[in-house]
């Protein structure tokens, strides 16, 4: 199992950023104001499914099968850190070794780069350092190879790429796979990240975590790992993964990591198969004493395209995000809906309905970040060195073996398009929330062929928008693409 199911394992960075307590810096005050100002009655009256505000009732679930292995990750935002989401904040756990004072994308090189180019440096880089995996989940094409894949970046190539990256930023590196612990040089990579002023975290399936491995994680200053659990029982999880015993190994790996002081984030990719089990998986995660619970909305592109039929219809998708908003108020875990940029619209709509403003003081970093950060402050490097806005954005913008990362980040027309929100088309272009949401560019690309087109899985209709959303998916799936 390449346990980056969905994008899930690829995001142990999120709460880490929150713990570090920095501004994402993605939104300007003006952008926040624009999202706040016009979201009156129109925005709040969105046509939710019957489960508005509650658990995603009525969502079908309970099938076996799998969720995709989309490498990399969603940049989605930075979670509510100190202050976090309303209410649940004080009760949220903090886990793992901290790295006080580390500010991704805030170092001297990053500041100099932004001043020189006017472009934000990457703050989070998901790096598929291998596609090899110890498991072979039925749904994951990256799995079941035990040696290096052809063309996989060597240790020297990885070090050279890090050397280049740190000339423009000091990011969080999400080391993912495949199963990153399968790389024999994993600790050398981790140490090199630290030595160069970056922060490595690991996305893992956790089945390889022994006391010895967890001790190494702690010794090599891994502040947090992320682990996917998509079902609350061994029977369902193992069936889903196609790996008998996998659930128990994963749960035990989490317990061991926690015993060694390594923070753990449980990720759940939500599909039709398990949307009615979100609460149960949350409760399992809470019972394991983890630090965060991140739901990931399936993005059926690239390696995940086989799972297209499992994607929630947009209305149910919205209901899950509403559940997250409400449940966060009482959960001790930090939530971060991911691959779901409209969550940042929903925050503002719900806050407005509650008579609140989405301020840093009340909502923490949720107030300061943006839904889709692909190409903006986040990107993905594949196992062979291809650079993408995120793991689901099925377009390679250059290869670090041929061109320095820093040049691709600076010069790619696609990256630069993604940074210019005025280029968004369709209802996203007309939307007052485009600065805080932006829609999923990977879905737009997959379904329309144009990464600047409207997000197909958003039910919101901006005021005054009269255009047809021709590519909006029908119930249970997309209409084209
Ligand atoms: S229309 Fe686009 S920008 Fe507006 S909330 Fe929906 S996905 Fe986000
Ligand atoms: S394009 Fe979609 S999957 Fe990629 S970072 Fe943006 S919201 Fe996430």
């Amino acid at each position: 199992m390449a346990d980056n199911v969905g994008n899930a394992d690829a995001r142990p960075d999120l709460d880490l950023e929150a713990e570090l307590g920095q501004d994402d810096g993605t939104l300007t005050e003006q952008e926040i104001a624009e999202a706040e100002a016009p979201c009156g009655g129109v925005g709040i009256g969105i046509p939710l499914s019957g489960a508005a505000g509650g658990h995603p009732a009525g969502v079908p679930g309970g099938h076996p099968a799998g969720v995709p292995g989309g490498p990399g990750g969603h940049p989605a935002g930075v979670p509510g850190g100190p202050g976090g989401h309303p209410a649940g904040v004080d009760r949220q756990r903090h886990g793992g070794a901290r790295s006080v004072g580390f500010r991704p994308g805030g170092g001297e090189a990053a500041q100099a780069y932004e001043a020189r180019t006017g472009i934000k440096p990457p703050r989070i880089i998901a790096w598929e350092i291998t596609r090899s995996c110890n498991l072979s989940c039925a749904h994951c094409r990256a799995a079941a190879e035990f040696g290096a894949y052809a063309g996989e970046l060597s240790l020297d190539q990885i070090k050279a790429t890090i050397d280049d990256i740190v000339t423009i930023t000091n990011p969080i590196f999400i080391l993912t796979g495949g199963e990153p612990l399968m790389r024999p040089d994993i600790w050398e990579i981790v140490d090199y990240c630290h030595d160069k002023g970056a922060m490595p975290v690991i996305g893992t399936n956790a089945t390889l975590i022994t006391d010895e491995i967890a001790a190494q994680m702690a010794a090599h200053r891994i502040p947090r790992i992320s682990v996917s659990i998509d079902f609350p029982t061994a029977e369902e999880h193992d069936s889903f993964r196609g790996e008998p015993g996998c659930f128990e190994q994963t749960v035990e790996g989490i317990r061991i990591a926690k015993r060694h002081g390594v923070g753990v984030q449980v990720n759940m990719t939500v599909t039709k198969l398990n949307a009615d089990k979100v609460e149960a998986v949350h409760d399992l995660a809470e019972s394991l004493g983890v630090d965060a619970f991140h739901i990931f909305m399936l993005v059926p592109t690239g390696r995940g395209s086989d799972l297209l039929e499992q994607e929630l219809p947009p209305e149910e998708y919205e209901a899950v995000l509403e559940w997250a908003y409400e449940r966060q108020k009482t959960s001790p875990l930090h939530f971060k809906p991911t691959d779901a940029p409209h969550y940042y619209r929903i925050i503002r709509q719900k806050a407005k309905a509650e008579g609140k403003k989405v301020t840093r003081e009340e909502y923490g970093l949720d107030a300061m970040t943006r839904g889709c950060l692909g190409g903006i402050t986040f990107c993905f490097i594949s196992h062979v060195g291809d650079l993408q806005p995120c793991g689901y954005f099925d377009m390679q913008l250059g290869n670090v073996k041929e061109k320095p990362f820093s040049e691709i980040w600076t010069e790619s027309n696609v990256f630069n398009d993604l940074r210019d929100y005025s280029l968004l088309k369709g209802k996203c272009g007309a939307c007052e929330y485009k600065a805080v949401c932006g829609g999923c560019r990977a879905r737009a690309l997959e379904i329309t062929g144009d990464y600047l087109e409207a997000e197909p899985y958003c039910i919101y209709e901006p005021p005054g928008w009269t255009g047809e959303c021709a590519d909006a998916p029908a119930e249970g799936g997309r209409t084209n693409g």
Side-chain angles (χ1 to χ4, degrees):
M1 165 175 62
D3 204 51
N4 44 14
V5 171
N7 271 330
D9 294 327
R11 303 313 308 274
D13 57 299
L14 297 170
D15 283 313
L16 178 61
E17 285 190 288
E19 288 184 15
L20 298 171
Q22 68 161 67
D23 279 358
D24 174 71
T26 300
L27 297 183
T28 64
E29 294 297 332
Q30 183 181 346
E31 287 167 338
I32 294 169
E34 284 169 2
E36 289 289 323
C39 67
V42 178
I44 294 171
I46 51 176
L48 296 174
S49 62
H55 193 275
V59 178
H63 306 264
V67 170
H74 176 288
V78 182
H85 200 286
V89 179
D90 311 347
R91 306 177 54 219
Q92 286 169 17
R93 295 176 179 137
H94 297 276
R98 308 287 182 78
S99 296
V100 175
F102 181 77
R103 181 172 180 173
E108 282 182 22
Q111 291 176 26
Y113 172 79
E114 185 166 355
R116 185 172 75 248
T117 63
I119 297 171
K120 289 183 190 301
R123 297 176 54 246
I124 307 168
I125 298 173
W127 199 335
E128 182 190 50
I129 58 171
T130 183
R131 273 203 173 178
S132 301
C133 190
N134 60 314
L135 299 178
S136 54
C137 297
H139 58 273
C140 182
R141 296 180 215 166
E145 295 242 353
F146 292 88
Y149 273 66
E152 197 160 282
L153 294 177
S154 67
L155 178 61
D156 284 346
Q157 288 168 325
I158 287 176
K159 286 183 174 180
T161 302
I162 294 171
D163 286 343
D164 170 62
I165 288 171
V166 298
T167 65
I168 65 166
T169 187
N170 56 317
I172 292 173
F173 282 117
I174 308 163
L175 306 178
T176 182
E179 172 49 60
L181 295 176
M182 291 286 286
R183 256 194 98 118
D185 50 11
I186 176 71
W187 305 121
E188 208 168 336
I189 295 170
V190 165
D191 289 347
Y192 202 76
C193 291
H194 281 303
D195 290 348
K196 295 294 177 175
M199 176 63 68
V201 294
I202 293 178
T204 172
N205 62 43
T207 61
L208 294 175
I209 297 179
T210 59
D211 270 311
E212 184 185 354
I213 295 286
Q216 283 187 296
M217 286 178 171
H220 290 272
R221 294 179 288 149
I222 292 296
R224 177 166 290 191
I225 60 171
S226 63
V227 181
S228 280
I229 298 180
D230 297 314
F231 290 88
T233 67
E235 182 183 8
E236 294 167 303
H237 185 85
D238 291 355
S239 170
F240 172 76
R241 297 269 165 174
E243 288 281 341
C246 170
F247 180 83
E248 287 304 330
Q249 290 172 358
T250 296
V251 165
E252 184 57 15
I254 290 172
R255 290 195 179 108
I256 294 170
K258 288 298 298 179
R259 278 207 303 272
H260 284 265
V262 177
V264 177
Q265 170 183 313
V266 165
N267 296 335
M268 174 184 186
T269 299
V270 183
T271 68
K272 286 180 181 175
L273 308 178
N274 61 1
D276 61 344
K277 303 178 193 305
V278 179
E279 184 87 42
V281 176
H282 165 273
D283 292 349
L284 169 65
E286 185 178 350
S287 74
L288 291 171
V290 307
D291 309 287
F293 176 62
H294 291 188
I295 55 172
F296 282 65
M297 306 309 287
L298 175 67
V299 183
T301 68
R303 291 159 62 195
S305 56
D306 291 350
L307 272 275
L308 183 62
E309 292 306 314
Q310 307 307 341
E311 187 164 29
L312 286 178
E315 294 76 13
E316 293 173 18
Y317 186 118
E318 185 95 358
V320 172
L321 298 181
E322 289 225 335
W323 171 87
Y325 180 89
E326 298 298 337
R327 189 67 179 85
Q328 175 70 101
K329 293 177 179 177
T330 54
S331 175
L333 308 180
H334 180 261
F335 285 20
K336 175 64 193 70
T338 301
D339 298 339
H342 356 325
Y343 184 64
Y344 292 87
R345 159 180 53 83
I346 290 171
I347 286 176
R348 283 165 175 81
Q349 291 174 313
K350 300 285 280 185
K352 181 84 174 179
E354 294 165 2
K356 298 175 185 166
K357 284 188 79 72
V358 181
T359 60
R360 170 72 185 264
E361 292 68 33
E362 189 142 8
Y363 284 78
L365 294 172
D366 279 350
M368 300 301 295
T369 192
R370 179 174 196 264
C372 178
L373 294 175
I376 299 168
T377 53
F378 174 89
C379 67
F380 169 78
I381 305 173
S382 81
H383 68 297
V384 295
D386 287 331
L387 193 50
Q388 300 176 201
C390 73
Y392 285 136
F393 195 108
D394 207 8
M395 196 180 274
Q396 290 72 47
L397 307 182
N399 187 291
V400 298
K401 293 175 187 167
E402 296 158 5
K403 193 172 185 180
F405 175 103
S406 55
E407 286 185 32
I408 304 169
W409 180 262
T410 306
E411 296 171 3
S412 161
N413 290 335
V414 176
F415 278 150
N416 284 309
D417 282 352
L418 294 172
R419 295 163 189 155
D420 185 351
Y421 310 154
S422 73
L423 297 178
L424 290 174
K425 299 176 183 174
K427 69 176 183 178
C428 288
C431 183
E432 69 270 37
Y433 296 108
K434 66 182 175 186
V436 299
C437 167
C440 175
R441 299 296 102 217
R443 287 197 192 95
L445 175 63
E446 176 78 3
I447 291 177
T448 72
D450 182 348
Y451 53 81
L452 294 171
E453 265 297 347
E455 148 75 82
Y457 269 76
C458 177
I459 64 172
Y460 182 63
E461 295 287 337
W465 167 248
T466 56
E468 294 285 316
C469 292
D471 293 308
E475 175 82 8
R478 62 183 179 184
T479 54
N480 64 357

